[in-house]
Amino acid sequence: MMRTRPLKVALLGCGVVGSEVARIMTTHADDLAARIGAPVELAGVAVRRPSKVREGIDPALITTDATALVKRGDIDVVVEVIGGIEPARTLITTAFEHGASVVSANKALLAEDGAALHAAAEQYGRDLYYEAAVAGAIPLVRPLRESLAGDKVNRVLGIVNGTTNFILDKMDTSGAGYSEALDEATALGYAEADPTADVEGFDAAAKAAILAGIAFHTRVRIGDVHREGITEVTAADIASARRMGCTVKLLAICERAADGRSVTARVHPAMIPLSHPLASVREAYNAVFVEAEAAGQLMFYGPGAGGAPTASAVLGDLVAVCRNKLSEAPGPGESAYTRLPVSPMGDVVTRYHISLDVADKPGVLAQVATVFAEQGVSIDTVRQKGRQDKSGEASLVVVTHRAPDAALSGTVEALRKLDTVRGVASIMRVEGE
Amino acid sequence: MMRTRPLKVALLGCGVVGSEVARIMTTHADDLAARIGAPVELAGVAVRRPSKVREGIDPALITTDATALVKRGDIDVVVEVIGGIEPARTLITTAFEHGASVVSANKALLAEDGAALHAAAEQYGRDLYYEAAVAGAIPLVRPLRESLAGDKVNRVLGIVNGTTNFILDKMDTSGAGYSEALDEATALGYAEADPTADVEGFDAAAKAAILAGIAFHTRVRIGDVHREGITEVTAADIASARRMGCTVKLLAICERAADGRSVTARVHPAMIPLSHPLASVREAYNAVFVEAEAAGQLMFYGPGAGGAPTASAVLGDLVAVCRNKLSEAPGPGESAYTRLPVSPMGDVVTRYHISLDVADKPGVLAQVATVFAEQGVSIDTVRQKGRQDKSGEASLVVVTHRAPDAALSGTVEALRKLDTVRGVASIMRVEGE
């Protein structure tokens, strides 16, 4: 039942991901045609630098006018891999308007304005698919949207940024400091020249917003996500985690509140036990845990970035969107019917690992413990150690029980004001227990 | 855009999985309706023992006449969780004929006769979905069929049977023998009264057939799968694996041949290094690696069986099939266009770990090494050890390089014929390196 008129694909962007999409569309054309039920044809490629030589791509397809390409009217699917908010947003809505469905890898745009894009897709009866926007090749969007559509997801917890995982893994295995590990990541191509989006947690926060929205059938924007990056993580933090039988990971955590009436989404470094499966996620790999009421605990693991893995996710969506085109039935659209509000970080229930430099004299522990009690925070363990350097200082490591983040951060503020507390050497949340 | 006329679901079977499906359909009716775009209604439940009290199910829905139920003509979706070949096969085709799509958890039937069922579904324009047939709640069928539809899968390797993993894990952690570990699994409900389907590898072989067919876009039946169970695995094998830094797992392995012109599918116990992520899959959990050309290595992990996890997979399919009903467009059907032949086990390239009891005298190793050379099998490592019991015997542990399985098993046969070889204590394949 093969249709002979090919489906036409416009590619917006031809960088690391786009060029790989174009390459696979050519080398695996027969397989794609068999799986879709019709051949697919690259009908145009919009780029910024038309003079660059692009192996395997017919130069006649190259254009710098992306708007004209999406307006052509004969394009069935637009693949958007340029990233950023504009011109991507306008190009996608223009594509919908002119008859095309869209496959996008644009996490920043989806986390900023996903609801409006979904509304535009629905208005024109098109598909908007974006598996590649979260965790590269790892199937996550489709499993959450479709496989778990009959279940109730309560928690998503994962490592969704490869650059920061590479840096933290280096710090953990080599004892290196943050800057040294970042330099290595940059030299090896795991970090970009400007690593801000990764190391400050913006990239992970965008993914957390997308995952939380899909998982809880609500709307979560990047601005709703509490975000802390890894730039403040020190070699001492990592060593301290090791002593607790833990390691440090940058986690994206999306949770439904215990009463089910709100959700939270956050990205921050956290200590997790070495026995936790996420602790053994090395280098630039990603892994995501999904906890659902009936399914229990599922884990998805794989390469979270890179040209070929991201292209794999794009092409999986391309096949699905092409099939939907042929059957004239769009796939599942936005599911945001729960309209659950996103609570602030202060409401999140978590645990803190706090390392204090204190005066080495009697009564300090009692003072510190009183502060915790006043804030309603219960202490799990305390480790007290006099320094060998005769500085008159000791260190006090406190791990709390679970408490609202507002109470925990209030406790830290109160501790800072104690005369006997010379400094707060490290604060880190503890997860995965 | 909610439709008010409900979609009608007939449930065939109301055991551990079926009762959980019915329960969630009731307790989560509003969520399911919102996600589907129409309410779903349990219209009938076919059981063998109508007198049994079934909490939360209207007794008026219970029937013993499954055939009449699927022939009613007003059923939109039939959920088949009775298992086995007949009457499930006839009921499913009758359901297609009378207007219903089908969600099934029946691995045995799909591995035996999937092609005919798919053909029937296509003939009548219905859906046949079966995520629950492989690895319980873990999304695998949909990721392979859809997420990786634009990629080329070369290998699927995993632990897909929880009962055998529980037994092997017990043997590994406690040093127990096979019978003792099986008894514990039975007592804890991880093994059925007749454990044959699990411990002899039939269950895993059915899953391997289904996975291989989807992964390689071809047809693989359970009879094409080389199958070895775990009943011959001894405490000595496990101890021997430990000495090599390995553990023993029952693996399902589906591979595309290096020349791409055939595929293989097999289930057998194998040693894998402790550093391999599958080595840390404990108790009754399942985990599956998928290696694809562009995506790289992906892993999916979760509970592989149980009422609620399997129901989660069934309900995810139910939502998809209901959506397809509403849009009057069936989802992706069978994709078997490559028609790749399934090669026999002898053609599989693998490695052997062979433990021999030999005469403790000079020249034995030379004799043994000659046999390997004659069969064209290259040796990786040899460990030779005299016994302390003055029996005049020594043990010789040989790990080979990769070679065709036929050459490896030929080598073992030839070794058995040597006078100086008193016995072959253990043979096991080595994977995951």
Side-chain angles (χ1 to χ4, degrees), chain A residues 283-330:
Chain A
E283 304 201 322
Y285 277 86
N286 283 194
V288 177
F289 266 84
V290 176
E291 288 174 25
E293 206 173 75
Q297 209 170 51
L298 305 171
M299 188 176 82
F300 303 81
Y301 168 93
T310 308
S312 171
V314 166
L315 287 160
D317 278 353
L318 180 65
V319 169
V321 167
C322 286
R323 282 173 179 163
N324 295 345
K325 272 267 167 184
L326 291 182
S327 62
E328 293 175 0

Side-chain angles (χ1 to χ4, degrees), chain B residues 317-330:
Chain B
D317 278 353
L318 180 65
V319 169
V321 166
C322 286
R323 282 173 178 163
N324 295 344
K325 272 266 166 184
L326 292 181
S327 62
E328 295 176 359

